[in-house]
Amino acid sequence: MSVPPSEATTARSLHRADLHAALVAELDRGTLHPNSRALVSAEGEPEVSVDGRTERFDLVVGADGIRSEARRTWGLDPGVRYAGYTAWRGVTAPAEVLSDEVRQATSETWGRGARFGIVPLPDRRVYWFATLSTPAGAAFEDQHRVLCDRFGSWHRPIDDLLASTPPEAVLRHDIYDLAAMPTRFVTGRGVLLGDAAHAMTPDLGQGAGQAIEDAATLVVLLRRVRDSGPVLDRALAEYDAVRRRRTTALWRQSRLTGMIAQQAHPVAVAIRNALMRATPSALMVHTATRLQRWSPPESVDEI
C-alpha cells in the first residue's frame, strides 16, 4: 500500500550532513572539539571532564544520543528497546536516469513487515529508506543485494533508486527507542537534549526536529537569565515541563505508527490497509500538521 502525502502539504528536505555543516558554521571558532570524550558529574554539578581536563560551567547540556552517558550518569536512564525492525538508508548519485517526477515525489510504501520511503533532495539526489522486520542483530552479508531481492520487484522508481545508489553508500541500523521516557530531563545544572532525552523511532521523522526544538526552547528560556540563581532554576523547570510534555506524545505516537506500519500478519495488514483507505486525506494532513506545529515558549522574565 502506497501512502503519498496530500498535494495540500509542502515539504522541504535536505541532507542531514548539509544541515549539520550549516549549524557548525555558525559556531564561534574554537568552540567545537570533535572526537573528545566528556564525562559529567553524577550529582548534576555543572562540570565536564574532557580527556582528563575538568572545567566548570553554569550549565551542562547532555546531547550525547540514544545511549547517552550523561543520562546514565545522572540516574535517568530507562534503557532502550528494540523496535522489531532494521532500517537501510541511502542517497542516490545525481544520475540522469531519475526523472524529474521521481525527484519531486515524496512517498512511503507499506508492505508486509516492510516499508520503502522516498524523499527528494534539492541537489538532484534522492534520499530513501527501507525497513524490514527482523530479529535484533541479524546479519546480512550483502546489504545492497538484500535490498534488491526484497524491494526490487516493488513499484517504480524503487528499483531505479536502488540501482542509482552505490552499494558502499548503503547504511543499515537496527531501530531502537527509549524503553520509557525519563522521569525528568533536568538534574541540578545538567539538562538532557535530543535523543539523550527522548530517543524515538523514526516513524514520524521527528527525531532531529525535536532536538532542534529542544535547543531553540532552551535558548529562548535562557535568553534573559543573568546568573545561576532562581531565574535559571525557573528556566530549567520550564524546559523540563514543556519539552517532556511534547516529546512524550511524539515518542508514543512514533512507536505506535511503527507497530502499525510493520504489521506482517495477512489479517492485520488487510485491516490496516482498509482503515488507511477509508481515512480522509484531509484528516491525515490535519493530523500530520498538528504533530509538526510548534511555537517556542515565551522567555523567562528576569527577577
Side-chain angles (χ1 to χ4, degrees):
M1 181 183 68
S2 184
V3 189
S6 165
E7 294 180 358
T9 61
T10 300
R12 296 289 182 267
S13 304
L14 71 159
H15 197 291
R16 184 173 297 211
D18 295 335
L19 173 61
H20 182 265
L23 294 174
V24 169
E26 294 300 314
L27 296 176
D28 292 337
R29 185 182 298 275
T31 58
L32 181 65
H33 304 280
N35 302 316
S36 297
R37 187 167 184 266
L39 298 175
V40 183
S41 166
E43 293 74 28
E45 291 297 320
E47 62 183 32
V48 177
S49 298
V50 181
D51 296 336
R53 184 185 74 257
T54 299
E55 297 183 52
R56 291 187 63 84
F57 301 89
D58 294 322
L59 180 68
V60 172
V61 178
D64 49 344
I66 185 172
R67 301 185 189 277
S68 168
E69 191 165 4
R71 188 180 66 233
R72 181 184 59 78
T73 301
W74 295 341
L76 300 174
D77 192 10
V80 298
R81 176 202 70 112
Y82 179 53
Y85 63 94
T86 195
W88 288 268
R89 294 173 292 133
V91 177
T92 65
E96 294 303 321
V97 296
L98 300 179
S99 67
D100 289 338
E101 181 182 2
V102 170
R103 293 191 180 94
Q104 296 170 6
T106 299
S107 68
E108 184 171 326
T109 301
W110 293 1
R112 291 177 54 182
R115 286 176 283 166
F116 199 98
I118 301 171
V119 183
L121 297 175
D123 56 1
R124 297 186 65 79
R125 295 184 297 169
V126 176
Y127 164 77
W128 57 262
F129 63 88
T131 69
L132 185 65
S133 295
T134 62
F140 300 95
E141 184 175 349
D142 187 334
Q143 307 284 351
H144 196 265
R145 174 49 51 193
V146 169
L147 287 166
C148 291
D149 290 345
R150 185 65 177 81
F151 297 96
S153 61
W154 285 29
H155 66 80
R156 295 195 68 185
I158 291 175
D159 54 345
D160 291 333
L161 295 174
L162 295 176
S164 300
T165 304
E168 64 274 12
V170 176
L171 303 176
R172 183 178 77 88
H173 297 91
D174 286 347
I175 299 301
Y176 289 83
D177 64 355
L178 292 187
M181 289 290 280
T183 55
R184 62 186 185 278
F185 290 171
V186 175
T187 292
R189 295 299 162 79
V191 56
L192 296 175
L193 182 151
D195 280 355
H198 45 67
M200 59 189 71
T201 65
D203 298 286
L204 296 180
Q206 284 292 306
Q210 291 309 303
I212 292 173
E213 286 186 18
D214 288 347
T217 299
L218 198 56
V219 167
V220 168
L221 294 175
L222 295 178
R223 186 166 289 156
R224 299 187 65 184
V225 173
R226 294 290 180 260
D227 56 49
S228 58
V231 177
L232 178 56
D233 292 332
R234 282 180 52 198
L236 296 181
E238 180 70 5
Y239 171 87
D240 184 59
V242 300
R243 293 311 299 161
R244 277 200 302 123
R245 182 167 58 247
R246 173 155 169 77
T247 56
T248 296
L250 289 169
W251 170 79
R252 288 174 177 158
Q253 184 61 45
S254 191
R255 177 180 288 191
L256 177 61
T257 300
M259 292 173 58
I260 294 172
Q262 289 296 134
Q263 287 295 325
H265 192 281
V267 174
V269 170
I271 294 173
R272 178 198 69 187
N273 292 355
L275 290 174
M276 291 296 293
R277 293 189 185 98
T279 303
S281 59
L283 178 59
M284 297 178 67
V285 170
H286 172 75
T287 301
T289 302
R290 181 175 54 83
L291 288 173
Q292 296 179 36
R293 184 181 294 119
W294 175 78
S295 298
E298 298 295 329
S299 60
V300 173
D301 292 332
E302 187 176 6
I303 61 174

